[in-house]
Amino acid sequence: MSKTSVSGKWIGASVLAVMVSLSAVPVAAQTGEALTAAPQDNVIRSISVVGTQRLEADTVRSYIRLRVGQQWTQAAGDQALKDLYATELFADVSVRNNAGDITIEVRENPVINRIILEGNKRIKNDKIEPEIKLAPRQIYSRSKVRADVARIVELYKRQGRFAAQVEPKLVQLDQNRVDIVFEITEGPKSKVRQINIIGNDKFSDGKLRGEMVTKQARLTSIFSSGTSYDPDRLAFDQQKLRQFYLTEGYADFRVVSAVAELTPDKKDFIITYVVEEGERYKFGDVKVDSKIRDFKSDALTSTLRMKNGDWYNAKLVEDTVEGLQESAGLFGYAFADVNPQFNRDKEALTMSITFDIAEAQRVFVERIDINGNTITQDKVIRREFRLNEGDAFNSIGVKRTTDRIKSLGYFQEDLEVEQAEGSTPDRIVLTTNVEEKATGELSLSAGFSSIENFIFQGSITQRNFRGKGQELRTNISYSSYSKSAEIGFTEPYLFDRSIALSGDIFRRDLNSFNFFNNSRNTTYEQATTGFQLRTGVPVNEFLYFQAGYGLSHDDISLDRNLFFTDPDGTGPLPAACDPVLAGRFLCDAIGNRLTSTLGYTLLYDTRDNRIRPTRGHSFSISQDFAGLGGDVRYIRTRLNADKHFRVTDSGFILSFSAEGGYIHPLENRGSAAQGIDDVRLTDRFYLGEPQIRGFDIRGVGPRVQRIFFDGEIQNGVAVNVPRLERKQIQDDAIGGRAYYLGRAELQIPLGSGAKELGLRPSIFIDAGAVFNVTTPLLQTVQQKSTATTTTPSLPLYYNVNTSGATPVLETSTVATNADGSARVPVLQFEERFFGDSWKPRVSVGVGVNWNSPFGPFRIDLARALLKEPGDDTKLFTFNVGTQF
């Protein structure tokens, strides 16, 4: 059989031909006469093999049934050919019989050197290569190539590209080697142009299309992944239709047919469903018949959610079955069989249901198996189990175990604890198959921002250090305005007991700032060095207690050249902070102090996942007492609460969160008349980006603004005109003693492709405020003369010179006019106090969380709906490494 390759298309004879030398066959045999005339010519005397390169001759002979001494027949020759071709090792085979000497001539299939994909843009190599079964160093086979082509085409069909074509080509190399090139023509994506529904009277086409996963290709669905045609999705949509009708009471509903037709241009599909809705049913008598002695039928019947006369709902029936099974599992009956018996009355249009609970044995945990962990030690996983070997089975314990293992963050998100029958009917085996994720994080980043200028950040975190569940973390950051270094370690199970121990050592240098004339101005500099120690123990399954101690030293200073009078100390008075230059609240903040803090946190947490919760709630209260030595004394109290739940089965997750805090001073630092608050500037609460979106950094709450003035003549009178443009106002947030913050956020599910990218969009509303601070002593400062004589500079006053045709604005150190009337003082600036209000600031917006290769990334577009005078708003924000 000969084959040839023309432009990558193989052409081969469809009929296997046996090449037999007729000269070696007796004439009698050729005419069909008996072969007894020369039987010695039909006896196989030898079998030789020619043409092999890689294979041994004995290997080739082992594939056939011909043997020396056997009778040669045409059928035996044909069978030898079939056997050799069946090995898929040969491109061509011929068998010749020369008076009993059999010669088998073969041409071996080439060896694959490499496999090349060309033309694929929509589906990358890493998606196609797993579908290709051929591999380098394997023997080439046409049947395997055809199978690979079919698999690649099927992959494109699953992506909705039904016009895709794959053409394999061979590139001949030396030493009987070949390169296989799959030339791919992807073609356009086949969309669903129209979905027709025939037979629906109770619900509109639009309502039923809304229940389907497949969507019609429209301009409004440009970002939808459901507009492409998928045969599997077509079958799923039939189930979705049936499920919808059954939840609405139409128990006889059925899909008569579902046909997808390719349009003549072969670009789109038109799908047509023919349905029969049937009649709508109500629930008849509904009861529970329990064979388990711990379950009383009457008591269970009274807890059923469906009642006689309610519209029939198949989803409610499924939920009831699951609820009864979970209730049985709570009492140790792991394999309780709940079987609903339906009694349909087509005349009365009622559906009576009896939930039969078959007799079952109480089950105990025989064994706990953990598979798939190569790094994480078994004990790290086993200590999260809420059931031990020998315990009575409890379905709630199994669910809680699953949630706790997921919350570790070491394994896949779809982890489940599987249940299987043990060695006896009253035994159960719990198996956890885990897939470990990378728990080490190395992050190095550099950049430039309008706030921080040059930024560098590096961190190394190992959340499963040595596979023992320990966490080791280091972090270094540097920018033009802030620097920090921190190292920490957490042991969650000290001495294999439920005692957590954690510690951090840190150094932080922070330059606080304000904006004036589009420039960032450093206000105070704070250098903090210290450490923290924390220990925690679980009180019960959901309640956790943690205590901690921290010691830190703060050095807060101002730029002497900018904010001090006589900074070089040459004057008669010592260098001191000038309130006119810095503001009284900043002069009050400077100094060195030691803060010694003892605190605790009490946390109640039922969330299914602490990292990315989808259901459950948590509540915590924490207090820190500063005053166990040191220079600072206060009590800081904080409350946090959140709630998460799934809105629908489609993946929408709604979450609410609220937090608040108050700091109570335990020292008297001065009087309110002096504008001094007993809580220092650096210890107060601040609010803004990223806590409350729609506002700038520290953009909410009490603040002091310096308003600068220009002089003008209005109606012949000199007046001070304030510069009220935002960029011309010097703004300093001073924080407050109390704050509150609330959020409501709805996470919107996306298609599988977006999930793989880690995209999670959401819509949200934020509300909060920070308030309660002593009103600072404000200043109104006059412009002074710039006299360089020994006479001190004097305040300036406006003098309107009317000698010309137009009044001229002049200044003078004389405070009164010639007639004795007071002149208007020339104001340099005036300080105003804003924002000390408990009234909520409210913003709404949309955001996207992205688990990017560079770390968690969040983009928010938010608009402030409610604000107070002085608040700084911001429409667009983004944060790296912050999760909400």
Side-chain angles (χ1 to χ4, degrees):
M1 175 181 177
S2 62
K3 306 167 190 67
T4 211
S5 175
V6 180
S7 300
K9 299 181 181 179
W10 286 275
I11 304 173
S14 59
V15 179
L16 298 176
V18 181
M19 300 178 61
V20 181
S21 177
L22 296 179
S23 61
V25 181
V27 176
Q30 298 179 40
T31 60
E33 299 178 6
L35 300 177
T36 56
Q40 64 278 5
D41 292 339
N42 292 328
V43 176
I44 300 175
R45 295 182 299 181
S46 65
I47 301 175
S48 59
V49 178
V50 296
T52 57
Q53 293 180 338
R54 298 181 306 272
L55 299 174
E56 298 291 338
D58 289 341
T59 302
V60 177
R61 282 190 285 265
S62 69
Y63 293 140
I64 62 176
R65 305 175 191 179
L66 297 177
R67 297 292 183 267
V68 175
Q70 291 181 351
Q71 290 288 324
W72 162 264
T73 63
Q74 185 75 31
D78 290 344
Q79 186 61 46
L81 283 174
K82 293 178 181 179
D83 292 340
L84 291 173
Y85 276 115
T87 64
E88 297 189 344
L89 297 175
F90 307 104
D92 196 7
V93 180
S94 64
V95 179
R96 296 191 298 271
N97 179 14
N98 185 15
D101 295 325
I102 307 300
T103 301
I104 301 175
E105 184 175 353
V106 299
R107 181 162 58 88
E108 295 179 356
N109 274 329
V111 175
I112 299 172
N113 178 53
R114 59 177 177 162
I115 296 174
I116 304 171
L117 298 173
E118 293 183 355
N120 56 309
K121 297 179 180 179
R122 301 295 181 179
I123 303 180
K124 301 303 180 183
N125 286 14
D126 59 347
K127 301 294 183 182
I128 299 178
E129 287 169 353
E131 301 293 330
I132 299 175
K133 303 307 178 184
L134 286 175
R137 295 183 297 276
Q138 286 187 358
I139 303 300
Y140 161 77
S141 167
R142 287 183 304 158
S143 61
K144 292 180 180 178
V145 171
R146 286 194 296 266
D148 285 341
V149 168
R151 278 188 286 268
I152 297 173
V153 171
E154 183 61 29
L155 180 63
Y156 273 93
K157 286 183 178 180
R158 290 200 296 269
Q159 297 288 329
R161 299 183 182 277
F162 284 80
Q165 295 180 351
V166 180
E167 183 178 358
K169 290 185 177 180
L170 281 186
V171 179
Q172 297 287 346
L173 304 175
D174 56 0
Q175 298 178 354
N176 199 23
R177 296 176 302 130
V178 293
D179 286 342
I180 299 179
V181 181
F182 291 100
E183 291 188 351
I184 301 173
T185 304
E186 295 180 316
K189 198 168 187 177
S190 302
K191 302 288 186 179
V192 176
R193 181 183 299 179
Q194 185 71 31
I195 298 177
N196 301 318
I197 304 175
I198 301 174
N200 55 311
D201 296 325
K202 307 299 182 182
F203 300 97
S204 65
D205 289 4
K207 175 64 176 176
L208 297 182
R209 292 192 193 109
E211 298 295 325
M212 300 179 187
V213 177
T214 304
K215 305 299 180 184
Q216 297 180 136
R218 297 291 185 268
L219 186 61
T220 56
S221 59
I222 187 172
F223 296 110
S224 174
S225 61
T227 57
S228 59
Y229 172 71
D230 187 341
D232 295 334
R233 195 182 293 146
L234 180 67
F236 182 70
D237 283 337
Q238 296 181 56
Q239 296 298 324
K240 293 283 288 183
L241 281 176
R242 176 167 174 76
Q243 183 181 26
F244 169 73
Y245 269 94
L246 289 178
T247 57
E248 295 294 330
Y250 294 89
D252 295 330
F253 173 83
R254 70 188 186 98
V255 178
V256 178
S257 64
V259 179
E261 297 176 298
L262 193 62
T263 56
D265 57 8
K266 296 184 179 180
K267 293 183 178 179
D268 298 320
F269 279 86
I270 297 176
I271 302 176
T272 302
Y273 294 95
V274 179
V275 302
E276 287 184 4
E277 293 179 319
E279 299 292 339
R280 194 178 188 187
Y281 285 75
K282 292 184 176 181
F283 281 112
D285 294 331
V286 183
K287 61 181 180 179
V288 177
D289 185 8
S290 174
K291 305 297 190 302
I292 301 177
R293 62 180 182 179
D294 294 331
F295 281 12
K296 303 301 180 185
S297 299
D298 294 340
L300 291 175
T301 299
S302 63
T303 64
L304 296 179
R305 293 167 54 190
M306 69 279 288
K307 304 299 180 184
N308 193 325
D310 294 345
W311 289 113
Y312 173 73
N313 186 332
K315 181 65 169 57
L316 189 56
V317 175
E318 293 178 4
D319 293 343
T320 301
V321 172
E322 292 179 2
L324 291 173
Q325 289 175 335
E326 288 183 1
S327 298
L330 184 62
F331 286 89
Y333 299 95
F335 305 110
D337 185 16
V338 180
N339 185 22
Q341 301 293 331
F342 297 90
N343 184 13
R344 183 179 314 187
D345 189 336
K346 293 187 177 182
E347 295 182 358
L349 296 179
T350 60
M351 184 77 72
S352 299
I353 305 176
T354 300
F355 294 94
D356 286 335
I357 304 179
E359 186 175 357
Q361 288 183 311
R362 203 163 219 160
V363 177
F364 296 86
V365 179
E366 179 180 2
R367 192 174 68 254
I368 295 176
D369 293 335
I370 300 174
N371 304 318
N373 53 314
T374 58
I375 299 175
T376 307
Q377 297 182 6
D378 272 15
K379 69 176 183 180
V380 174
I381 304 174
R382 288 184 181 275
R383 65 195 182 196
E384 302 301 328
F385 270 79
R386 301 299 93 182
L387 294 172
N388 295 317
E389 293 171 345
D391 289 350
F393 176 81
N394 186 312
S395 59
I396 302 300
V398 173
K399 181 61 179 174
R400 182 61 182 165
T401 296
T402 303
D403 293 343
R404 289 181 65 93
I405 296 177
K406 286 182 180 179
S407 294
L408 292 175
Y410 308 158
F411 312 110
Q412 76 275 20
E413 293 185 7
D414 58 349
L415 181 144
E416 295 291 340
V417 177
E418 300 176 357
Q419 306 168 23
E421 292 187 6
S423 57
T424 59
D426 63 342
R427 294 289 183 268
I428 189 172
V429 176
L430 302 180
T431 303
T432 304
N433 297 310
V434 300
E435 294 178 14
E436 291 182 313
K437 300 190 300 185
T439 56
E441 298 174 2
L442 170 62
S443 175
L444 296 174
S445 61
F448 184 87
S449 78
S450 59
I451 294 179
E452 295 289 340
N453 291 342
F454 175 75
I455 303 171
F456 172 80
Q457 185 175 35
S459 66
I460 300 176
T461 303
Q462 175 53 262
R463 293 179 288 108
N464 189 15
F465 184 58
R466 299 187 299 166
K468 295 183 176 182
Q470 301 165 336
E471 181 175 313
L472 180 65
R473 53 194 177 273
T474 61
N475 182 72
I476 298 175
S477 65
Y478 174 86
S479 73
S480 301
Y481 294 96
S482 65
K483 308 170 187 65
S484 68
E486 182 175 348
I487 183 170
F489 180 77
T490 299
E491 169 56 72
Y493 279 79
L494 187 63
F495 307 123
D496 291 330
R497 296 182 179 275
S498 297
I499 302 174
L501 182 65
S502 177
D504 296 279
I505 302 174
F506 57 85
R507 166 68 185 229
R508 305 186 186 106
D509 293 341
L510 169 68
N511 293 356
S512 187
F513 63 91
N514 61 28
F515 285 100
F516 180 62
N517 283 336
N518 289 336
S519 298
R520 172 173 173 155
N521 304 306
T522 298
T523 53
Y524 66 86
E525 300 177 359
Q526 179 180 0
T528 304
T529 305
F531 70 89
Q532 288 182 333
L533 290 175
R534 297 174 297 275
T535 183
V537 295
V539 179
N540 57 35
E541 180 61 30
F542 302 106
L543 190 62
Y544 187 81
F545 177 81
Q546 176 179 283
Y549 174 77
L551 183 67
S552 62
H553 177 267
D554 292 301
D555 181 8
I556 301 173
S557 60
L558 296 173
D559 190 325
R560 297 174 65 91
N561 293 322
L562 293 178
F563 299 110
F564 276 54
T565 57
D566 192 16
D568 54 4
T570 59
L573 299 176
C577 178
D578 188 348
V580 174
L581 299 176
R584 298 182 186 276
F585 57 92
L586 285 181
C587 290
D588 173 62
I590 61 176
N592 294 311
R593 52 182 169 268
L594 187 68
T595 303
S596 176
T597 308
L598 184 65
Y600 75 90
T601 298
L602 192 63
L603 171 65
Y604 181 79
D605 192 351
T606 66
R607 294 173 298 175
D608 61 339
N609 193 315
R610 290 190 296 269
I611 299 174
R612 191 177 298 171
T614 61
R615 56 180 172 79
H617 58 272
S618 69
F619 174 81
S620 69
I621 178 173
S622 62
Q623 285 189 307
D624 295 310
F625 168 69
L628 193 68
D631 307 313
V632 181
R633 286 166 175 78
Y634 61 76
I635 293 179
R636 178 189 289 121
T637 304
R638 293 193 182 191
L639 300 174
N640 288 272
D642 58 54
K643 172 71 176 178
H644 309 268
F645 54 89
R646 294 182 179 272
V647 179
T648 64
D649 293 336
S650 57
F652 287 91
I653 299 173
L654 182 61
S655 61
F656 296 97
S657 63
E659 61 179 279
Y662 182 77
I663 182 169
H664 178 72
L666 299 177
E667 57 182 327
N668 187 359
R669 300 178 55 244
S671 66
Q674 297 174 312
I676 299 176
D677 196 287
D678 291 333
V679 178
R680 289 174 172 80
L681 180 72
T682 54
D683 294 327
R684 300 171 194 163
F685 295 114
Y686 293 88
L687 201 59
E689 181 192 348
Q691 298 95 342
I692 178 168
R693 293 154 287 189
F695 293 86
D696 209 342
I697 299 173
R698 295 188 174 186
V700 173
R703 59 210 323 101
V704 173
Q705 292 184 350
R706 282 192 174 185
I707 312 296
F708 294 85
F709 291 87
D710 292 320
E712 289 185 5
I713 296 177
Q714 297 180 0
N715 299 324
V717 179
V719 295
N720 290 291
V721 179
R723 305 175 193 169
L724 297 179
E725 293 184 19
R726 193 61 174 170
K727 66 180 181 179
Q728 294 181 320
I729 298 175
Q730 183 176 311
D731 191 344
D732 289 287
I734 62 174
R737 296 188 188 182
Y739 86 100
Y740 67 86
L741 176 64
R743 299 190 190 99
E745 187 160 3
L746 179 65
Q747 290 186 18
I748 303 171
L750 294 179
S752 57
K755 286 183 179 179
E756 291 178 1
L757 293 175
L759 294 174
R760 292 182 291 119
S762 63
I763 56 177
F764 59 83
I765 179 170
D766 293 347
V770 58
F771 53 97
N772 191 12
V773 68
T774 300
T775 302
L777 196 60
L778 304 176
Q779 306 173 88
T780 300
V781 177
Q782 286 184 243
Q783 184 72 45
K784 294 185 177 182
S785 68
T786 58
T788 58
T789 63
T790 56
T791 304
S793 60
L794 300 175
L796 296 179
Y797 298 88
Y798 288 121
N799 178 30
V800 180
N801 186 346
T802 59
S803 60
T806 303
V808 178
L809 189 66
E810 296 180 348
T811 56
S812 171
T813 58
V814 180
T816 59
N817 295 311
D819 59 1
S821 61
R823 289 177 175 172
V824 177
V826 179
L827 296 184
Q828 180 181 352
F829 67 83
E830 178 183 76
E831 290 183 340
R832 300 177 182 178
F833 181 57
F834 294 99
D836 190 13
S837 172
W838 59 268
K839 294 181 180 179
R841 283 70 157 178
V842 179
S843 65
V844 297
V846 297
V848 176
N849 266 323
W850 177 32
N851 291 332
S852 72
F854 315 103
F857 187 83
R858 169 118 190 168
I859 298 176
D860 289 301
L861 191 66
R863 180 178 179 83
L865 299 182
L866 295 178
K867 60 180 182 177
E868 291 295 311
D871 290 344
D872 289 334
T873 60
K874 190 175 184 180
L875 182 65
F876 175 79
T877 60
F878 69 92
N879 294 280
V880 178
T882 302
Q883 293 190 4
F884 293 85

